[in-house]
Amino acid sequence: MNEEQGQQGTGTGGDFEEHLRELLAEDANAIRPAPVPYPAIRRRGTIERRRRVAAAGAALVTLAAMPVGAYALAGGEGGGNTVASTPPAGAAPRTPATPSAPPTGPARPATEDQLLDGITFGQAVDGLEKCLAYDRSHTRGPSGFRTDLGAAEEYRIILAMNSTGDSNAPGDGTYVVAVKERPKQTRLICNVKDGKAKGLNTSVGSDDVPGAGPVTADISGGKLYRQSVLDRGNWKLPFRWGVIGTVEPSVARVTVSYGGATSRAALDHGWFVASGVLNQQVTVAPRIKGYDADNKLVYDSDEDKNYEKRLP
């Protein structure tokens, strides 16, 4: 091989080697991983953290505005899960409120003026209970029949006042008047002396009579405003008196005149109750007048043929 051919061979091999090195370098660059973009990753992480904090804040605001019983947390795509609230561990379970029991015992009168002479409501109730116990223990009549007056809590006390003893029933005491509407209208007048029931007058059913007016005096109420016929003209004075009866709803006012003085009656659930004190002997029964809402006279006992106008 001459000198020219040797130089050409050497040149050809060098070019090949150089080309091979270039190819290897290109392959190395092609498979070498790109540099990690640390600034971009850090910036993306900061943005993501801010987004999560904002979402958590919005969820807390939603929880504060929603009822305690249940709340909803919305997901990133609008989905949500409803979570029911539960009491904390160890907390006593809630129980529904129980309605208060209805009051027991008789009802009070419509006005305090119906409890007279310092008699308290408790004392009036005690008197009523003694009267009903007296009735239950009383011997039955020959027929064996006796009306059951019921329990004290069924009644409403409409009058309590002092009673004056007379020749027929010596000894002062207390009158208690009570009424009930069901199952039948019932009225009782009981006299209590020395802590015991000494006399009981009852009326069961309405006292209404044909042609009666809008005001009706109680048929047995005379015992409240007169003394015994044995003492006629010689009553013990001063004398506490009372008048009771029924009124229709159209009656707005009732007055009772007795012994020269006039008292305005209390209206109590269809009953009227009047009272006063006599300081003089009388022979004429109380005069009762009823008025409507326009102050028009609608009843006068002086014109009532069923009303006894003079005392026996």
Side-chain angles (χ1 to χ4, degrees), residues 209-275:
V209 295
V215 179
T216 304
D218 189 277
I219 194 170
S220 298
K223 62 174 59 275
L224 298 173
Y225 61 79
R226 65 173 182 252
Q227 295 181 30
S228 171
V229 293
L230 300 177
D231 301 312
R232 183 173 181 177
N234 190 29
W235 287 8
K236 292 174 61 176
L237 300 173
F239 171 62
R240 165 65 72 181
W241 60 267
V243 177
I244 63 171
T246 58
V247 293
E248 294 181 355
S250 58
V251 177
R253 182 168 63 94
V254 173
T255 62
V256 177
S257 302
Y258 197 36
T262 299
S263 300
R264 178 165 180 169
L267 301 183
D268 192 340
H269 297 79
W271 291 80
F272 76 89
V273 181
S275 63

Side-chain angles (χ1 to χ4, degrees), residues 54-309:
L60 290 176
V61 171
T62 303
L63 286 178
M66 293 187 70
V68 176
Y71 54 87
L73 289 179
E77 299 300 324
N81 296 319
T82 301
V83 184
S85 65
T86 56
R94 293 182 179 179
T95 54
T98 3
S100 56
T104 59
R108 299 183 69 91
T111 70
E112 292 301 318
D113 293 339
Q114 294 162 242
L115 300 175
L116 303 168
D117 306 316
I119 301 171
T120 66
F121 180 66
Q123 291 170 331
V125 171
D126 181 67
L128 172 61
E129 291 173 342
K130 285 181 169 65
C131 296
L132 294 173
Y134 170 85
D135 177 72
R136 286 190 293 269
S137 63
H138 198 270
T139 306
R140 295 176 183 268
S143 64
F145 174 78
R146 179 171 57 84
T147 302
D148 183 8
L149 296 179
E153 55 264 26
E154 299 173 12
Y155 285 83
R156 182 175 63 260
I157 293 174
I158 63 171
L159 178 63
M161 68 180 197
N162 287 342
S163 66
T164 302
D166 53 37
S167 299
N168 188 49
D172 295 342
T174 301
Y175 274 127
V176 177
V177 183
V179 298
K180 69 175 183 176
E181 303 303 323
R182 296 181 180 84
K184 288 185 178 181
Q185 185 184 85
T186 303
R187 186 272 301 134
L188 64 84
I189 302 174
C190 184
N191 197 2
V192 180
K193 295 181 181 179
D194 300 323
K196 297 179 180 179
K198 294 295 185 180
L200 179 63
N201 177 274
T202 62
S203 173
V204 179
S206 174
D207 286 340
D208 291 346
V209 295
V215 179
T216 304
D218 189 277
I219 194 170
S220 298
K223 62 174 59 275
L224 298 173
Y225 61 79
R226 65 173 182 252
Q227 295 181 30
S228 171
V229 293
L230 300 177
D231 301 312
R232 183 173 181 177
N234 190 29
W235 287 8
K236 292 174 61 176
L237 300 173
F239 171 62
R240 165 65 72 181
W241 60 267
V243 177
I244 63 171
T246 58
V247 293
E248 294 181 355
S250 58
V251 177
R253 182 168 63 94
V254 173
T255 62
V256 177
S257 302
Y258 197 36
T262 299
S263 300
R264 178 165 180 169
L267 301 183
D268 192 340
H269 297 79
W271 291 80
F272 76 89
V273 181
S275 63
V277 176
L278 279 180
N279 290 296
Q280 62 184 29
Q281 181 68 59
V282 293
T283 57
V284 178
R287 184 177 182 181
I288 306 169
K289 293 182 178 182
Y291 302 84
D292 65 11
D294 296 325
N295 206 32
K296 178 184 177 182
L297 181 67
V298 293
Y299 175 82
D300 187 344
S301 60
D302 276 0
E303 300 175 1
D304 186 350
K305 63 181 180 180
N306 297 311
Y307 182 74
E308 191 63 44
K309 300 168 186 61

